[in-house]
Amino acid sequence: MDLAEIGRVMRRRWYVLLPGLLLTAALTIAVHLLIPVEYQSQSTVTLLNSSKATEAFDGNPFLSTQASLTGMADGLARNLNSDGAKADLKALGVTGTHEVKIADNAQGPFMWLTVTGTDPAAVLKSDELLAGYADKRLKEFQTQQSVAPEAMIRMATIVPPQKPEAQTKTRIQYIVMVGALGFVLSLVATFFVEARKRTPRGKNRPAPAGTPAADTPAPAAATPATPVAHDETMALRTVGPSGAGSP
């Protein structure tokens, strides 16, 4: 079937195709309205060596980075993603969902603090609260280990919470999926109706019970035997093999 034939079928069965396309458009609009737009804000922080450890570098913490700081950043990120931290953040007023992880391709103890939600203002506020909570948890870890204040690892903000940006990728994917599926189903229904209309009536329909098949010949009627006359029988008995009469 070429494109011209497909177009002719679609024109002939427009009463099947058009309702399907209208339903697809309605579902697409519903998905667009029901799935809210999500916004995301992200900040970047880093862990710095203690003031005591930076005395040899004139107090510059960026000159005394250590591998242990990256390990501490990983441990802190895991704690901030735990259920207990989620409960604490919710009590502080953080809304939406948050994620803390070591920054991609990081060359040091850099961490990304990300918050996602549907209200841009609430997302920005939540990212700020998350950054403050992360600094608090870092100090609590070290206090629990009785670390002296001058020997504590510190946290510094590299990139403050950014203006929330709309995340439309997932929403667009759902809209495209619904539109494509509805269009395909509309075409399938159209060609199904076309195929049904082209099938001759009565074809492949089973014959009623008790009706003989058309191609089965009717049995031949039995031919009644012709009675032999009495006198002919007697003549056969009296005629011999040579045709002469019996004695």
Side-chain angles (χ1 to χ4, degrees), residues 137-179:
R137 290 298 294 156
L138 177 62
K139 293 177 180 177
E140 289 177 352
F141 286 156
Q142 299 175 90
T143 301
Q144 293 170 0
Q145 301 302 320
S146 301
V147 178
E150 65 274 9
M152 284 187 177
I153 297 173
R154 297 166 291 173
M155 178 179 291
T157 300
I158 302 299
V159 179
Q162 298 296 289
K163 180 181 178 181
E165 295 183 356
Q167 307 295 307
T168 59
K169 180 179 179 181
T170 302
R171 192 185 192 197
I172 292 176
Q173 286 177 344
Y174 279 115
I175 292 176
V176 171
M177 288 174 56
V178 170

Side-chain angles (χ1 to χ4, degrees), residues 88-104:
D88 292 342
L89 290 168
K90 185 176 181 181
L92 290 174
V94 174
T95 59
T97 58
H98 75 276
E99 181 185 16
V100 181
K101 68 175 185 177
I102 295 180
D104 295 342

